[in-house]
Amino acid sequence: MLQVYNTLVKKKEDFKPIKDKSVSFYQCGPTVYFIQHIGNMRAMVLADLIKRSLEYAGYKVKMARNYTDVGHLTSDDDEGEDKITLAARKEKLSPQEIADKYIKLFEADVKELNCQEPKYKPRATGYIKEMKNMAQILLDKGFAYATDLAIYFDISKAKDYTKLSGQDLSKNMAEAGKGEITDSQKKNPADFALWFFKAGAHQKAVQTWTAKFKLPDGQVIKKEGFPGWHLECSAMNRSLFGPTIDLHMGGIEHIPVHHTNEIAQSEAVSGVKFVSYWLHNEHLTVDGEKMSKSSGTAYSLSDLKNKGYDPLVLRYLFLQAHYRSKQNFTWEALEASKVALNNLQNVIARSMATKQSHGKINTKFKDKFIGAISDDFNVPQALALVWEVVKSDLSDGDKLSTILDFDKVLGLGLDKIKIEKIPQEVKQLAGQRLEARNNKNWAESDQLREKIAGLGYSVEDEKDGYKLKKK
Ligand code: AMP
Ligand code: ZN
């Protein structure tokens, strides 16, 4: 039975999707205003590993990873300016051109990291109608109120507002009151905006939509405005999957604000549980510090490629830490991953070149592999099993079949390794030569090497075999 650590109950639980073998899975995706760093990429690879693990375990996964292309302010609370608008001004492009540009770069990066495409890739600006609709339902049900600047969610009305974070709300409210942009008409400092009006600090907002709302006192207002970031994810979830979804994932920083607010508004609208299992990934640090643009450590995948690293080396590095553990990036660790991946690729290439027939997936190792991923997606343990298979006494064919099966989850693209077609005659001579060497028959071994050379191949001896290369 698959066990999943659920942030909502702070323990591992048996995984039981709503619809038997079909799983709805939403991941909070990137705000597309800049080149994503390798920390963001870790979050994407971790979600991909979870999706692949579920599929390996026999589930059909409907995954959504959104693009935030409006409404994410420079602070996760309701403070600051829209990140996309700021980038648009700086780069002299329209907000949607900014989003298009960074979505394209992001998609190229995740593809190179061998992440599978999610079924849905919704853009927030494609769901404005659903967002307005949810804000209206919340006004009608008495969970929301309007000021001159925004429509707010009244957190005192939510049932158990802090159930995800377990935070002390008085502290949270004191923090929320400290920002520079305060709205004196707000009931609670920690109430959050569902919809901002083009007014006050957002007078100059560029991406706005006309919206008509009926207020609780019967008054109808029609104004320009834009959605709050939290409402966006609630609306996209509701549109794509309905009121309740199986899995929702995001970075740990989303627990106290973004996800807390998603739960409050989604459950207030539907009256039912929003998410069955909340998954949160820990962050990537660089040299033990938070990644930051100012310290030059917000490396992108291109930075790594420019130093000669294959993106799959970064994926291999990510496989070595559990999604709920912090991982520290260093160039030394990346180099070690490069060596390890290279060794693994060599093992595969050699098995592909020498195996006589297709092997079988070893059930003993497969059971252990399923055990690892069923324990809250323990990918590092699953990777360790790959090396156990390599070192085992299984035949080359069985090793190959077993590792390629595991790679459906790990995603290292091992099935795509290209091997040269070596003629059967050369392979036979190399096999005879290995036997001669094993029998310490050096003269015969040398003769066979020359024969192989005569056919245009060189043979290099290795610890437990040999490698054939075209000269
Ligand atoms: P953002 O573009 O800031 O909205 O972030 C997109 C995703 O990347 C979110 O799920 C974040 O939690 C995640 N993320 C941001 N920084 C890091 C980091 N250093 N390590 C891992 N994930 C991160
Ligand atoms: Zn979200």
Side-chain angles (χ1 to χ4, degrees):
M1 178 60 133
L2 174 61
Q3 292 250 308
V4 175
Y5 183 92
N6 184 355
T7 312
L8 197 60
V9 291
K10 291 167 194 61
K11 61 173 193 235
K12 288 183 199 170
E13 291 185 320
D14 286 346
F15 181 63
K16 292 191 192 112
I18 306 159
K19 280 194 224 141
D20 192 28
K21 282 284 177 189
S22 169
V23 178
S24 47
F25 178 17
Y26 184 95
Q27 182 190 22
C28 288
T31 305
V32 280
Y33 69 106
F34 195 69
I35 296 167
Q36 299 282 304
H37 55 57
I38 54 173
N40 303 123
M41 289 300 141
R42 180 179 183 217
M44 304 308 142
V45 171
L46 294 176
D48 181 61
L49 290 167
I50 288 173
K51 173 182 180 281
R52 286 169 178 262
S53 298
L54 289 164
E55 285 172 347
Y56 189 88
Y59 294 99
K60 189 169 184 313
V61 183
K62 289 184 189 151
M63 182 176 178
R65 181 182 62 215
N66 76 290
Y67 292 120
T68 303
D69 57 353
V70 68
H72 194 172
L73 306 185
T74 44
S75 148
D76 281 0
D77 296 310
D78 297 337
E79 305 277 336
E81 202 177 346
D82 183 308
K83 290 183 183 185
I84 302 272
T85 304
L86 264 176
R89 198 179 310 134
K90 216 164 87 194
E91 297 195 34
K92 298 192 171 48
L93 292 172
S94 73
Q96 286 308 304
E97 281 168 345
I98 285 289
D100 289 344
K101 173 177 167 181
Y102 290 108
I103 287 173
K104 207 165 155 206
L105 292 172
F106 170 82
E107 293 202 341
D109 282 357
V110 282
K111 190 165 179 211
E112 285 198 293
L113 285 164
N114 209 17
C115 291
Q116 292 175 343
E117 280 262 299
K119 182 174 168 72
Y120 305 110
K121 299 186 289 178
R123 271 169 92 136
T125 48
Y127 292 78
I128 298 293
K129 200 169 140 215
E130 183 71 17
M131 292 167 204
K132 290 180 192 169
N133 186 17
M134 283 183 86
Q136 184 61 59
I137 296 172
L138 291 168
L139 283 165
D140 294 343
K141 287 186 148 188
F143 286 99
Y145 61 94
T147 71
D148 293 337
L149 300 183
I151 294 176
Y152 292 105
F153 185 93
D154 181 346
I155 63 162
S156 70
K157 299 274 169 64
K159 204 165 118 207
D160 201 0
Y161 177 67
T162 57
K163 67 181 166 197
L164 183 69
S165 65
Q167 65 198 315
D168 174 354
L169 199 53
S170 59
K171 247 203 238 152
N172 179 266
M173 284 161 95
E175 279 301 312
K178 279 189 196 149
E180 321 129 28
I181 307 163
T182 46
D183 182 344
S184 58
Q185 294 170 297
K186 240 176 161 181
K187 291 188 187 167
N188 281 316
D191 287 349
F192 61 90
L194 298 165
W195 189 269
F196 292 97
F197 296 130
K198 190 174 160 83
H202 301 298
Q203 186 62 56
K204 294 205 182 95
V206 185
Q207 285 200 100
T208 59
W209 292 262
T210 311
K212 210 158 96 177
F213 293 108
K214 187 163 177 239
L215 304 184
D217 62 4
Q219 189 196 341
V220 175
I221 54 168
K222 192 174 169 191
K223 292 186 183 183
E224 284 292 296
F226 63 94
W229 169 45
H230 319 304
L231 185 62
E232 296 175 359
C233 281
S234 283
M236 288 183 269
N237 266 289
R238 192 173 142 84
S239 293
L240 296 169
F241 299 125
T244 306
I245 66 162
D246 294 308
L247 291 172
H248 191 129
M249 186 169 179
I252 40 147
E253 79 283 8
H254 291 334
I255 298 171
V257 182
H258 184 52
H259 290 166
T260 287
N261 293 346
E262 273 190 52
I263 295 175
Q265 63 207 356
S266 290
E267 296 192 351
V269 165
S270 70
V272 297
K273 191 174 189 162
F274 172 40
V275 173
S276 301
Y277 304 89
W278 280 97
L279 268 61
H280 289 97
N281 63 277
E282 257 290 359
H283 280 181
L284 186 74
T285 54
V286 169
D287 298 328
E289 307 276 333
K290 191 173 187 297
M291 301 179 61
S292 81
K293 267 188 239 164
S294 55
S295 63
T297 55
Y299 304 126
S300 67
L301 190 63
S302 299
D303 292 332
L304 271 55
K305 286 196 310 191
N306 290 341
K307 284 187 185 252
Y309 289 100
D310 181 329
L312 290 176
V313 171
L314 183 64
R315 186 171 176 109
Y316 190 95
L317 181 115
F318 291 152
L319 297 181
Q320 294 167 81
H322 187 256
Y323 78 94
R324 283 192 292 116
S325 303
K326 271 204 177 69
Q327 186 174 26
N328 188 33
F329 174 90
T330 61
W331 292 104
E332 291 75 29
L334 190 68
E335 189 57 34
S337 295
K338 180 178 169 178
V339 172
L341 179 60
N342 199 8
N343 287 343
L344 185 57
Q345 288 168 336
N346 283 341
V347 169
I348 298 295
R350 208 160 43 225
S351 298
M352 282 180 173
T354 58
K355 80 177 170 116
Q356 301 293 319
S357 61
H358 272 288
K360 290 188 298 300
I361 298 169
N362 182 274
T363 50
K364 198 179 92 215
F365 280 114
K366 186 170 173 110
D367 287 348
K368 283 192 186 176
F369 187 84
I370 292 172
I373 58 168
S374 301
D375 180 14
D376 192 28
F377 312 108
N378 195 334
V379 171
Q381 202 179 316
L383 179 64
L385 275 166
V386 168
W387 288 106
E388 274 188 41
V389 173
V390 170
K391 290 185 192 118
S392 72
D393 54 9
L394 295 185
S395 69
D396 273 357
D398 286 4
K399 278 185 189 176
L400 183 62
S401 300
T402 307
I403 295 174
L404 291 185
D405 179 60
F406 294 175
D407 200 40
K408 287 180 194 154
V409 173
L410 305 176
L412 293 169
L414 298 174
D415 57 334
K416 305 218 171 55
I417 291 176
K418 295 229 167 17
I419 54 151
E420 284 174 59
K421 267 264 168 258
I422 294 170
Q424 196 57 31
E425 188 186 358
V426 175
K427 279 201 247 175
Q428 248 166 18
L429 288 171
Q432 286 167 14
R433 186 179 163 274
L434 182 66
E435 212 179 304
R437 272 176 61 80
N438 287 344
N439 296 331
K440 301 200 174 13
N441 194 342
W442 309 121
E444 191 185 339
S445 160
D446 285 347
Q447 266 176 16
L448 286 161
R449 178 194 287 280
E450 272 171 35
K451 270 195 184 168
I452 293 168
L455 292 167
Y457 287 83
S458 70
V459 54
E460 280 172 27
D461 293 315
E462 293 186 333
K463 208 169 93 240
D464 46 6
Y466 57 86
K467 200 169 176 176
L468 285 168
K469 272 194 183 157
K470 207 171 170 68
K471 286 208 287 192

